[in-house]
Amino acid sequence: MNQALLRQIPKMDLLLDHPLLADLCQRTSRAAVKAAIQETLQQLRRDIADGSVRSVPDPEQLCRQILSGADTGCHLRRVINATGVVLHTNLGRAPLSPEAADNLSRIARGYCNLEYDLDRGCRGSRYDHVEELICRLTGAEAAMVVNNNAGAVFLMLNTLARGKNVAISRGELVEIGGSFRVPEIMEQSGARLVEVGTTNKTHPRDYEAAMEEKGATVLLKVHTSNFAIIGFTESVPVDTLSRIARAHEGLTLYDLGSCFQFPCEYLGLHEGESAAQALSAGADVVCFSGDKLMGSAQAGILAGRKALIDQIRRNHLTRMLRIDKLSLAALEIALRDSLDPQTAIRKIPTLRMLAMTREDCRTQAQDLCRQLCGLGFAAEVIDTDDEVGGGSLPGLRLPSAAAAVSCDFLTASALEKVLRSQEMPIISHIQKDRVLLSPRTFCEGDLQQIVSVFAALSQKEADSR
Ligand SMILES: *Cc1c(COP(=O)(O)O)cnc(C)c1O
């Protein structure tokens, strides 16, 4: 460890009484500023220890660092996703469009008619705001929205399948995101699981047998999301499933997990079923996430036959899973944008990212490389494959390009760490001793932000020489 550097770190009291921080002490508290200084100094010690910092910033620089970090002082922070994983669950899945974020902020700043009927001047329902939009998008008779899709699946089963035998293919008894396990959700909802078929193949006759011989009255289909079975596989499409269910006076429920609001061909993709397709194929109720391919706020959307949706609404457990006004504010904008596929792809960040071609990625990666080379870094464009993420469209590779960056004064892992410890952290992957920055997942202004971080890095290195 570099003892000489560690000794150069300014004393706490010197920083705490620094004129630059006086205002912050006034605005917050001396204790809060002390904690912020402590954190900054500890980070500095760690950075010196692992060699990622080789000169100690002067007290003024440190104060500015603390000031900029104290902008929000929040633990939950905006980060730059340079991983190329579009629906990165660890990074908050879908970023909102500027319009959706503006609407959310507008609603947040005051009161709203969340449960107030403006025409009649009396109590209204929070479920009314987006029902018509969802019905227009999916062709459903009725719809409602809850906190997330896990909640939607639970409510759907708890309301429509409690105490009933529910047939599901063994190939669809999946675990999603580590904590959502289909068999366990079914059990907790009070539905009785009737497994049919095998892991790789399930036939129509398996469902028929479940209804005729094992007393199943509900057929459940679950999109396998983060899991693909390849080779000799067979699953029963929802139109066949619903035909079997109808013939036995049963229900077909479908957890789509992640789905586009329009035929996926618009994005040049050939996978995935939309809610509209599933409903027109005969599903009685479908549910899906608001913040996967829909590209909006966290939400679980339920759509289907009116009598069934009404029943779900009346379930007391709905109260525990209700959607909040901020998600609703963002969701309404995304639903409106989704009415027209071209508008959706232009406006919804997730869809715009998915629609990027390798050529689009290359153009941005080239721009980034040019600027980074200008700052003295080694950077070149390489072809990569990005992922959709979020347990959507497994196995689908998005042909992409990224900037592969290295420098002579930091190892790839030290560089990755420096990027990650910025005020606006940059999250990247390492490949073959280089840091990969994938432009597919950049949001507005991210590219320039990355360049300015590298500029500061090269300046700091020059100063320390
Ligand atoms: C993602 C997913 C869920 C859970 O949805 P959340 O919105 O994360 O709660 C449930 N079922 C399927 C099939 C999924 O893909």
Side-chain angles (χ1 to χ4, degrees), residues 93 148-150 176 180 222-223 225 255 257-258 289 291-292 299:
R93 282 199 195 155
N148 61 3
N149 189 45
I176 291 150
F180 181 90
V222 175
H223 188 272
S225 294
D255 171 14
S258 184
S289 294
D291 58 346
K292 288 188 184 168

Side-chain angles (χ1 to χ4, degrees), residues 43-170:
Q43 184 60 47
L44 184 59
R45 284 188 202 101
R46 284 196 292 268
D47 288 344
I48 291 172
D50 73 13
S52 57
V53 158
R54 296 207 265 129
S55 69
V56 172
D58 61 32
E60 197 175 305
Q61 276 175 312
L62 280 170
C63 286
R64 293 199 188 287
Q65 207 173 316
I66 289 156
L67 276 174
S68 66
D71 260 347
T72 65
C74 285
H75 197 271
L76 181 64
R77 283 195 281 169
R78 164 87 161 81
V79 306
I80 293 176
N81 177 4
T83 66
V85 181
V86 178
L87 295 169
H88 200 306
T89 305
N90 301 152
L91 303 182
R93 282 199 195 155
L96 297 179
S97 70
E99 289 91 339
D102 286 348
N103 195 41
L104 182 154
S105 152
R106 192 159 42 234
I107 294 298
R109 280 162 204 270
Y111 296 98
C112 63
N113 63 334
L114 180 65
E115 290 191 344
Y116 187 77
D117 185 326
L118 290 171
D119 290 333
R120 296 190 295 145
C122 62
R123 192 195 164 114
S125 163
R126 73 177 62 218
Y127 301 116
D128 287 347
H129 304 288
V130 293
E131 180 171 20
E132 201 188 310
L133 276 170
I134 299 170
C135 290
R136 272 172 71 189
L137 273 168
T138 61
E141 290 171 9
M144 69 175 289
V145 184
V146 294
N147 178 59
N148 61 3
N149 189 45
V153 177
F154 178 82
L155 278 178
M156 176 170 82
L157 292 171
N158 182 262
T159 313
L160 306 173
R162 188 155 51 107
K164 297 184 178 169
N165 289 354
V166 179
I168 178 168
S169 162
R170 288 196 169 89

Side-chain angles (χ1 to χ4, degrees), residues 257-327:
S258 184
C259 66
F260 291 116
Q261 298 314 301
F262 43 80
C264 50
E265 292 83 45
Y266 278 99
L267 278 166
L269 303 173
H270 300 283
E271 287 184 58
E273 202 161 14
S274 72
Q277 284 167 329
L279 286 168
S280 80
D284 294 294
V285 177
V286 300
C287 63
F288 54 95
S289 294
D291 58 346
K292 288 188 184 168
L293 295 177
M294 166 101 225
S296 183
Q298 179 187 303
I301 300 171
L302 287 145
R305 286 186 19 222
K306 179 156 171 37
L308 302 177
I309 297 291
D310 282 349
Q311 245 177 292
I312 296 173
R313 275 198 196 204
R314 286 195 301 270
N315 187 335
H316 290 296
L317 297 180
T318 298
R319 173 65 178 77
M320 294 195 296
L321 296 165
R322 70 184 188 185
I323 188 163
D324 82 306
K325 61 181 178 181
L326 300 183
S327 308

Side-chain angles (χ1 to χ4, degrees), residues 151-404:
V153 177
F154 178 82
L155 278 178
M156 176 170 82
L157 292 171
N158 182 262
T159 313
L160 306 173
R162 188 155 51 107
K164 297 184 178 169
N165 289 354
V166 179
I168 178 168
S169 162
R170 288 196 169 89
E172 295 172 8
L173 288 171
V174 291
E175 173 179 297
I176 291 150
S179 53
F180 181 90
R181 294 179 136 190
V182 174
E184 275 151 40
I185 293 272
M186 289 180 72
E187 191 188 313
Q188 306 243 311
S189 74
R192 283 196 298 268
L193 177 68
V194 178
E195 297 180 24
V196 303
T198 60
T199 307
N200 61 332
K201 285 195 180 189
T202 303
H203 305 282
R205 62 173 182 275
D206 296 326
Y207 289 99
E208 280 165 44
M211 297 196 97
E212 285 158 18
E213 292 155 28
K214 300 208 182 117
T217 54
V218 177
L219 303 186
L220 175 66
K221 192 168 173 64
V222 175
H223 188 272
T224 49
S225 294
N226 56 356
F227 166 70
I229 308 173
I230 52 170
F232 288 101
T233 71
E234 211 164 306
S235 65
V236 181
V238 67
D239 55 346
T240 309
L241 217 56
S242 65
R243 218 176 311 122
I244 296 168
R246 293 246 158 99
H248 297 81
E249 289 170 10
L251 288 179
T252 308
L253 308 178
Y254 193 175
D255 171 14
L256 282 157
S258 184
C259 66
F260 291 116
Q261 298 314 301
F262 43 80
C264 50
E265 292 83 45
Y266 278 99
L267 278 166
L269 303 173
H270 300 283
E271 287 184 58
E273 202 161 14
S274 72
Q277 284 167 329
L279 286 168
S280 80
D284 294 294
V285 177
V286 300
C287 63
F288 54 95
S289 294
D291 58 346
K292 288 188 184 168
L293 295 177
M294 166 101 225
S296 183
Q298 179 187 303
I301 300 171
L302 287 145
R305 286 186 19 222
K306 179 156 171 37
L308 302 177
I309 297 291
D310 282 349
Q311 245 177 292
I312 296 173
R313 275 198 196 204
R314 286 195 301 270
N315 187 335
H316 290 296
L317 297 180
T318 298
R319 173 65 178 77
M320 294 195 296
L321 296 165
R322 70 184 188 185
I323 188 163
D324 82 306
K325 61 181 178 181
L326 300 183
S327 308
L328 212 42
L331 191 65
E332 185 171 1
I333 301 288
L335 287 165
R336 221 164 56 187
D337 288 340
S338 298
L339 289 173
D340 171 48
Q342 310 294 357
T343 309
I345 294 168
R346 193 161 40 80
K347 289 200 166 173
I348 297 177
T350 301
L351 298 178
R352 182 173 41 73
M353 290 170 185
L354 290 177
M356 281 173 79
T357 61
R358 174 166 276 162
E359 225 23 69
D360 296 334
C361 297
R362 267 191 200 136
T363 308
Q364 285 203 41
Q366 269 156 3
D367 181 18
L368 182 57
C369 286
R370 194 178 37 76
Q371 300 197 57
L372 296 188
C373 289
L375 292 166
F377 293 88
E380 66 166 334
V381 179
I382 61 166
D383 283 352
T384 52
D385 285 319
D386 286 337
E387 283 173 52
V388 180
S392 313
L393 314 179
L396 181 71
R397 313 302 297 180
L398 303 166
S400 304

